[in-house]
Amino acid sequence: MKFQHVQLHTIAGVLPPNIVSSAQLEERLSPLYQRLHLPEGRLELMTGIVQRRFWQPGTMPSDAAVLAARSAIAKSGLSATRIQAVLYCGVSRDCVEPATSTAVVRKLGLGTDTLNFDVSNACLGIASGMMILAGMLESGLIDCGMAVTGENGGPLVDNTVLRLNADQSMTRQSLKHEFASLTIGSAAAAVILTREGGHPVHAIASASECANDALCRGDAAGGMTDGSAPVMKTDSHELMVQGIEVAARMWRNLQAEAPWNGALPEIVCGHQVGKIHRDLLFQHLGLSPELDFPIFPETGNCGSASLPLAVSLAEERGALRPGMKLAMLGIGSGINSLGLAITW
């Protein structure tokens, strides 16, 4: 999908205040580690994740999303009245019904005619929201829209620790399906797209393989708010292998659509999973790891917030500079993959 009238105007990320290191998480897992004779330090060694962050107790996903939205609006210099559509794109939601976007719109004090709804696509939520907004902008349906998320991974990590310590039948083999849950962190992000005045979004490409939708499953009972008890089962290795194959098809599609005449991007911001995943993905796509701007060592996997947060921090820290060719790449369970070609 090529675009002529879509601009990434502003992107903003917010990091939660509470830092939990991988070493601290392993301390909480000491009953399990002792029972299975697991060496300390394996979590950081296998993932490259040094720490992750969590919100203060009582923080709702919409609360986190509003922090990012307000940051993006202030950074943009635009009036909030310009925003005609708000898409909430997180895995974490305040409730099943109504849409969490309604709480975001209310807390931001936006107008009563603001179009809003939720987008659910695992870790690709924000990228999917950007694709939907891009189509609305290109068609002229709106002039300005926002995709926002507030991921609250704390309940999942806390419940995983409780379950693993209590389950006397847990083995090293069965632990593999729980491992991904221990890489999760929390964060919020917001992206404002407009028809003019920002960074051109040239193309968005996708690929999927939905026969693999069982490789990562969150249970239907648990939410992502205080008091919930979410459970996620993941075949991490197979999801990585199959996800990279899907991403390779997406990458070929994006290269065909991007106006870069076969040139490679100058910086890549991807969904943040871990070191092994990043290295294999870049190898498979034929990209140098030097193009990557990784944040997973300090954030872990923040779901739909990871990709926009990486872009926001790359800009903030001077790695993403005006005129650079940026590729935003993501893989989400299901399996889906999305990529965006942008000139900064």
Side-chain angles (χ1 to χ4, degrees):
M1 294 168 280
K2 297 180 180 180
F3 301 97
Q4 298 294 324
H5 306 289
V6 180
Q7 306 268 321
L8 194 166
H9 190 285
T10 309
I11 191 164
V14 176
L15 290 169
N18 299 326
I19 299 174
V20 176
S21 69
S22 290
Q24 288 173 314
L25 201 54
E26 287 183 325
E27 288 178 11
R28 293 175 58 189
L29 287 164
S30 58
L32 173 75
Y33 270 52
Q34 292 172 12
R35 188 167 68 249
L36 298 183
H37 304 288
L38 297 172
E40 294 182 1
R42 71 192 308 266
L43 184 56
E44 180 178 333
L45 180 66
M46 293 176 66
T47 64
I49 296 172
V50 179
Q51 63 181 39
R52 73 281 292 140
R53 290 172 175 255
F54 299 115
W55 302 106
Q56 290 287 85
T59 302
M60 298 291 284
S62 63
D63 294 331
V66 166
L67 291 175
R70 286 175 175 158
S71 177
I73 293 170
K75 181 180 176 182
S76 72
L78 300 174
S79 168
T81 59
R82 285 279 309 276
I83 300 173
Q84 298 165 289
V86 173
L87 277 54
Y88 179 81
C89 306
V91 176
S92 310
R93 287 176 288 182
D94 285 11
C95 52
V96 173
E97 189 179 4
T100 299
S101 64
T102 60
V104 174
V105 169
R106 171 176 57 82
K107 293 174 182 180
L108 288 174
L110 299 182
T112 55
D113 291 331
T114 305
L115 175 67
N116 69 93
F117 53 88
D118 286 1
V119 174
S120 177
N121 197 10
C123 295
L124 286 176
I126 283 285
S128 299
M130 292 175 68
M131 180 175 65
I132 294 169
L133 289 174
M136 297 168 72
L137 289 160
E138 189 75 8
S139 68
L141 182 63
I142 63 171
D143 295 315
C144 179
M146 175 189 291
V148 63
T149 183
E151 295 290 19
N152 183 29
L156 173 61
V157 174
D158 289 343
N159 192 52
T160 300
V161 170
L162 290 173
R163 289 192 302 103
L164 294 181
N165 284 333
D167 188 353
Q168 298 299 312
S169 66
M170 185 65 60
T171 65
R172 287 194 176 206
Q173 184 63 31
S174 58
L175 180 61
K176 293 180 180 180
H177 291 275
E178 308 282 353
F179 193 75
S181 299
L182 301 175
T183 68
I184 299 298
S186 301
V191 184
I192 297 176
L193 298 180
T194 56
R195 284 177 60 86
E196 57 184 20
H199 314 287
V201 178
H202 303 295
I204 302 177
S206 66
S208 65
E209 180 46 83
C210 298
N212 291 313
D213 70 317
L215 293 178
C216 181
R217 284 284 178 94
D219 71 319
M224 293 296 236
T225 57
D226 290 359
S228 64
V231 175
M232 186 174 74
K233 299 287 186 179
T234 309
D235 186 337
S236 299
H237 177 74
E238 192 63 18
L239 181 62
M240 176 179 67
V241 171
Q242 297 299 330
I244 288 174
E245 289 297 327
V246 176
R249 287 194 283 112
M250 176 277 294
W251 178 240
R252 290 193 292 271
N253 294 339
L254 186 63
Q255 285 181 302
E257 297 284 339
W260 296 338
N261 298 319
L264 294 177
E266 294 165 284
I267 183 170
V268 175
C269 291
H271 171 58
Q272 305 292 308
V273 178
K275 184 180 185 301
I276 294 175
H277 180 278
R278 189 275 310 273
D279 291 348
L280 287 176
L281 174 64
F282 274 60
Q283 180 182 359
H284 207 74
L285 299 186
L287 296 172
S288 168
E290 294 181 357
L291 297 175
D292 186 37
F293 184 80
I295 64 170
F296 61 82
E298 59 183 297
T299 66
N301 179 352
C302 300
S304 65
S306 281
L307 178 53
L309 180 62
V311 177
S312 175
L313 291 177
E315 180 187 32
E316 180 182 312
R317 297 173 183 178
L320 178 57
R321 300 179 297 277
M324 293 182 74
K325 296 187 289 292
L326 163 68
M328 294 178 64
L329 307 179
I331 305 171
S333 58
I335 299 171
N336 290 300
S337 182
L338 279 171
L340 297 89
I342 300 169
T343 296
W344 208 256

